[in-house]
Amino acid sequence: MANRYDFDPKTYLQQGAWADVKLGLHRTEELLERLGNPQDSLKIVHVAGTNGKGSTSAFIAGILQAAGYTTGLFTSPYILRFNERIQIDRVDISDEDLLEVAADVRDQALLMDEAPTAFELLTAAALHYFSQKRCDVVVLEVGLGGRLDSTNVVTPLLSVITPIALDHVAVLGDTVEKIAYEKAGIIKSGVDVLSYPQHSDAAAVIEKRAAELGCTVRTPRFSLVDAHAEGLTQVFSYDGIEDVHLRLAGVYQPCNAAMAVEAARILRGKGFDIPDSAIKNGLEATTWPARFEVVAHRPTTIVDGGHNEQGARVLAKSLQEYFPEGGVTFVMSVLRDKD
């Protein structure tokens, strides 16, 4: 009999190209059922959106960890190493644990009539791992869209929607309304929704979907955000949370942080013990690569992964804030599916 561990889990969980995306939930549902439905044992915060969902997810996870909860975090894509995509308390899954959960997933996937996609395999592996490690709470970032994304097999405690803009238009649609419809697909009956203050067209779609499913929508009041640069970091205050020294420098990060504050307050209402001190400490501890990240000095070198018009605008705004004299040199690389 062949050794069930005789394979490379990273190669297995990344099989096929990004272009091979096959949206739909039935394969993930079957695979998770074969694994014993690990998602049903987890308390989940589900995060969709076009921009900012990685940083917002990281902030929420940071707050929950600071409050003493064992916190799973699932994100994509990875920046430096594959294991980043599955973390507990901001520690990447080990190669040994990755092989173990990938073997469990592979055993079940081989029994299926229709082979799961790479992202479906990865989603199942993450949920299986978080359940095995008995996470108190999991922050689950959507891969693509929302409605038909493989993460959308969970019933979360809270659905979070970050800024919506045009991206992945070939898959999700060519208008903000069409994309908002896909993102709003993560909204579940009776589950609270936290939404970024969206463009009116996107907001109308989200509010309509929430009303149909009997959900309350909360939106942060960005008029209460106060932030100023200190060197290449910034000091942030929002609605009673004062003088937070954010390690994430982009001018858009205070809004992501305010989203995380509101998420923490909603979770408080669901029985989580999250004092204001944990909110502050969690925000201050949060790092996230390739989001206006200073990677070197002399010369100051910044890496940013913005890859759509909205991302480009906030990058430009950040550069104007931190380098008002100009003189910025760009080294830029763009995939052919981007505008």
Side-chain angles (χ1 to χ4, degrees):
M1 183 178 168
N3 182 350
R4 71 190 288 260
Y5 298 111
D6 190 18
F7 73 105
D8 178 357
K10 295 175 191 178
T11 301
Y12 175 68
L13 294 172
Q14 296 179 93
Q15 58 189 283
W18 179 243
D20 294 341
V21 165
K22 291 190 291 185
L23 293 175
L25 304 180
H26 61 283
R27 292 176 299 270
T28 310
E29 288 169 342
E30 180 184 345
L31 182 54
L32 287 169
E33 190 170 333
R34 290 176 176 276
L35 288 163
N37 285 318
Q39 74 279 11
D40 292 348
S41 69
L42 298 168
K43 295 178 177 176
I44 292 171
V45 178
H46 200 191
V47 184
T50 306
N51 293 315
K53 62 182 187 289
S55 300
T56 301
S57 296
F59 277 135
I60 294 170
I63 290 170
L64 287 163
Q65 184 183 343
Y69 293 100
T70 301
T71 305
L73 177 63
F74 178 64
T75 58
S76 61
Y78 68 91
I79 305 298
L80 300 174
R81 62 191 294 260
F82 180 82
N83 305 51
E84 290 169 29
R85 302 179 74 164
I86 303 173
Q87 302 180 3
I88 295 177
D89 290 344
R90 294 312 304 271
V91 176
D92 299 350
I93 187 172
S94 68
D95 285 341
E96 295 75 20
D97 283 342
L98 185 64
L99 177 58
E100 186 67 48
V101 296
D104 289 346
V105 168
R106 183 169 174 257
D107 287 347
Q108 299 306 320
L110 288 170
L111 301 174
M112 292 171 58
D113 292 334
E114 188 179 352
T117 67
F119 192 70
E120 290 164 354
L121 294 167
L122 182 63
T123 300
L127 292 167
H128 183 48
Y129 176 66
F130 295 144
S131 177
Q132 281 187 333
K133 297 297 182 181
R134 302 199 168 150
C135 288
D136 298 316
V137 61
V138 170
V139 182
L140 194 69
E141 183 193 346
V142 165
L144 177 67
R147 182 174 64 94
L148 297 175
D149 183 77
S150 60
T151 62
N152 201 29
V153 294
V154 303
T155 300
L157 295 173
L158 173 64
S159 303
V160 178
I161 302 177
T162 68
I164 292 171
L166 292 176
D167 200 6
H168 301 297
V169 293
V171 181
L172 300 179
D174 56 2
T175 68
V176 167
E177 293 96 327
K178 287 178 183 175
I179 292 175
Y181 174 76
E182 296 299 326
K183 308 293 185 188
I186 72 164
I187 298 173
K188 303 292 192 307
S189 179
V191 175
D192 287 340
V193 179
L194 172 64
S195 177
Y196 198 91
Q198 306 285 357
H199 182 281
S200 58
D201 293 342
V205 173
I206 292 166
E207 285 160 12
K208 179 174 184 284
R209 182 65 179 157
E212 288 169 354
L213 293 173
C215 304
T216 301
V217 180
R218 184 183 296 190
T219 302
R221 290 175 291 164
F222 286 164
S223 61
L224 302 178
V225 171
D226 178 55
H228 63 272
E230 274 195 6
L232 281 165
T233 62
Q234 54 193 328
V235 179
F236 157 82
S237 299
Y238 173 75
D239 195 19
I241 306 296
E242 304 293 331
D243 298 324
V244 179
H245 290 257
L246 296 179
R247 294 161 73 178
L248 299 179
V251 296
Y252 48 89
Q253 293 296 0
C255 292
N256 293 334
M259 285 282 286
V261 173
E262 292 292 355
R265 288 173 170 168
I266 293 170
L267 292 172
R268 238 185 224 165
K270 298 180 184 300
F272 283 80
D273 181 13
I274 307 174
D276 283 354
S277 59
I279 293 176
K280 182 174 181 178
N281 293 339
L283 293 175
E284 289 188 333
T286 298
T287 59
W288 202 237
R291 275 68 172 184
F292 206 78
E293 181 186 13
V294 180
V295 294
H297 298 275
R298 284 189 301 196
T300 300
T301 307
I302 292 169
V303 173
D304 188 88
H307 56 269
N308 49 46
E309 183 181 344
Q310 191 181 62
R313 287 185 189 283
V314 295
L315 171 58
K317 194 174 176 186
S318 296
L319 291 168
Q320 288 160 356
E321 174 80 20
Y322 288 102
F323 304 99
E325 303 300 312
V328 176
T329 301
F330 283 89
V331 180
M332 190 168 162
S333 170
V334 183
L335 291 169
R336 74 168 66 88
D337 68 326
K338 301 300 175 191
D339 181 354

